[in-house]
Amino acid sequence: MTRPVPALPSPGVTASGSGARLLAGWYATGRPDALVDHLRRHGPLPAQPSLVEAVEAAGLTGRGGAAFPAGRKLRSVAARARRAVVVVNAMESEPASRKDAVLLAVAPHLVLDGAVLAAGAVDADVVHVCVSRARPAQFRRLAAALGERRRARLDPVRLRLHALPHAYVSSESTSLVRWLDGGPARPRGTPPRSHEHGVGRRPTLVHNAETLAHVALIARHGPAWFRGAGTCEEPGTVLVTVSGAVAAPGVLESAPGVPVALLLDRAGGAARAPQAVLLGGFAGGWLPASALDTPFTRRDLAPWGASPGAGVLVVLPEGACGLAETARMLAYLAAQSARQCGPCRLGLPAVAGDFAALAAGRADPELPARLHRRTALLPDRGACRHPDGAARLAASALRTFADDAGRHLAGFPCAGARRPATTAVPPAVPPETWR
């Protein structure tokens, strides 16, 4: 099981769990919540006739990475005035993220409560819970949690659990809809959007697991309580996965607005002097070590070309090669494309190849201009947002590691380029298996 910081069984670094909301049960007991624990802590499902308005007033945004207003998405589905479908996106295909896995392990009923409450708000009669086939233990634990709820006759809607192919783009919302309709787990073009014609051509609400857990707490405690943490623009708490060169890698819960450096301290501090931090995961951006006092918010990180994304921080130590690390990630992203459009079939492999040449120190005077040109062509041209994330990562690396890039282009790659990877890059899953 992926664990909160620092590891089971001790709640650890954030000692008393002060400020924890989603992980409050874990910090209080050091064990996952069974249904009886969940009901003792949170009580039964509340009657919440104005859930959409409450979520809008709370200012909750999606925790899957895009940060779309959760209340607006709820309202869009509810406005269709037809029987809807709710999909819990617990795929977590971002390689550097473990937050949803931790949340579902220690507080599964909070996520399921949020899904059931959302179903009531949008007039849905079924909730599809989507997890990755690559995590069979997670599937078994969730199946057990659903069994507890069925025996308790807790839910007024059907909850169905599914194990989907594990690929980077299989967690995209239209990939889930397409798979649930019997197709491959690949993004489909829009329009129509899922809230208009989703599963079975019905209005479909797709929310990340963490987002729905927040919905369950907002329904119980109200918008003002939710806004008691975080900032005015980004209220509430977020789950953050911290990995790389830190003493105690894991998942922690924090309010937006704290400095990035403080998040690293809560993960035991840097194990080696940091050179940069990757924010947002493989589709994110690099923050140089000189900027670690930047608050962990979208607004404050935007000038650096970064964002919290799905709550991912990967610490790159001094001595590692940021260009080589980025090249490995870009190669993975290129291999994980759905290959349904030009930017994915042609653009991503070209950028990944250019970056591999840069990381290897191949002297090519045309490489910088070509790489900048190709990177600029990727965003907003694909059938989904997969090329946009790769372009963001590449552009960020060129800025953050500009001095290193100059030396590499001169034929003098840094010693770190020949060292083992600091950031774990999983093997790619071929698209023909995405069914």
Side-chain angles (χ1 to χ4, degrees):
M1 181 175 108
T2 307
R3 297 160 182 180
V5 167
L8 287 170
S10 168
V13 180
T14 48
S16 65
S18 176
R21 295 174 170 193
L22 300 176
L23 302 182
W26 166 261
Y27 284 116
T29 66
R31 68 171 189 270
D33 271 355
L35 181 59
V36 63
D37 303 309
H38 170 77
L39 293 175
R40 187 181 301 119
R41 189 180 317 283
H42 298 288
L45 282 171
Q48 180 52 274
S50 57
L51 181 68
V52 175
E53 290 81 1
V55 173
E56 287 178 327
L60 172 66
T61 56
R63 299 303 200 237
F68 190 82
R72 190 187 306 172
K73 189 181 283 191
L74 276 164
R75 187 172 293 281
S76 296
V77 176
R80 306 309 294 180
R82 290 167 43 218
R83 186 55 63 91
V85 173
V86 170
V87 177
V88 180
N89 187 350
M91 293 293 293
E92 197 164 33
S93 59
E94 163 54 52
S97 179
R98 296 292 182 273
K99 70 179 183 69
D100 289 338
V102 163
L103 179 61
L104 286 166
V106 304
H109 295 289
L110 208 53
V111 176
L112 298 173
D113 277 0
V116 171
L117 288 164
V122 301
D123 191 27
D125 60 354
V126 61
V127 172
H128 296 287
V129 183
C130 296
V131 299
S132 168
R133 286 179 193 162
R135 304 185 186 103
Q138 181 187 58
F139 185 92
R140 291 193 295 272
R141 287 193 298 268
L142 275 175
L146 290 173
E148 285 185 295
R149 297 175 77 93
R150 278 193 297 271
R151 290 189 293 275
R153 298 185 178 181
L154 199 63
D155 302 314
V157 297
R158 289 178 297 143
L159 283 84
R160 299 182 58 190
L161 180 61
H162 306 272
L164 276 68
H166 184 78
Y168 191 83
V169 297
S170 62
S171 63
E172 205 269 347
S173 62
T174 63
S175 295
L176 305 184
V177 169
R178 195 172 181 180
W179 189 89
L180 290 167
D181 274 341
R186 301 189 191 190
R188 69 181 189 188
T190 55
R193 301 188 182 280
S194 299
H195 75 269
E196 299 168 329
H197 296 287
V199 178
R201 300 189 63 79
R202 294 162 62 182
T204 299
L205 176 75
V206 183
H207 263 321
N208 166 261
E210 182 189 342
T211 309
L212 289 166
H214 284 295
V215 168
L217 292 178
I218 291 168
R220 287 178 165 96
H221 304 293
W225 170 86
F226 184 77
R227 285 186 170 276
T231 69
C232 290
E233 292 182 341
E234 299 179 36
T237 62
V238 293
L239 296 180
V240 182
T241 309
V242 188
S243 63
V246 289
V251 174
L252 55 88
E253 183 171 7
S254 178
V258 303
V260 172
L262 181 56
L263 294 174
L264 303 187
D265 287 344
R266 290 178 181 171
R272 293 158 59 191
Q275 176 185 173
V277 175
L278 178 65
L279 298 174
F282 283 28
W286 292 99
L287 186 73
S290 60
L292 293 185
D293 286 336
T294 305
F296 191 66
T297 68
R298 293 189 301 277
R299 179 178 182 178
D300 291 293
L301 292 169
W304 295 97
S307 77
V312 170
L313 286 80
V314 183
V315 180
L316 182 74
E318 290 285 356
C321 178
L323 298 173
E325 299 285 332
T326 302
R328 296 182 189 104
M329 287 184 267
L330 288 171
Y332 170 81
L333 294 175
Q336 283 296 91
S337 78
R339 303 172 195 171
Q340 298 180 135
C341 61
C344 273
R345 286 187 296 105
L346 304 173
L348 286 184
V351 169
D354 282 345
F355 235 93
L358 175 61
R362 296 176 199 157
D364 180 352
E366 297 181 0
L367 180 59
R370 186 170 69 242
L371 192 48
H372 282 287
R373 183 176 67 253
R374 285 174 170 172
T375 301
L377 286 172
L378 286 179
D380 300 319
R381 292 175 180 267
C384 68
R385 294 294 180 183
H386 184 55
D388 301 41
R392 183 163 49 247
L393 176 66
S396 171
L398 291 174
R399 286 192 306 270
T400 304
F401 308 113
D403 291 344
D404 290 341
R407 288 189 288 271
H408 279 234
L409 286 168
F412 301 103
C414 57
R418 297 185 294 274
R419 293 174 183 160
T422 298
T423 307
V425 179
V429 181
E432 54 268 21
T433 66
W434 298 357
R435 284 189 176 273

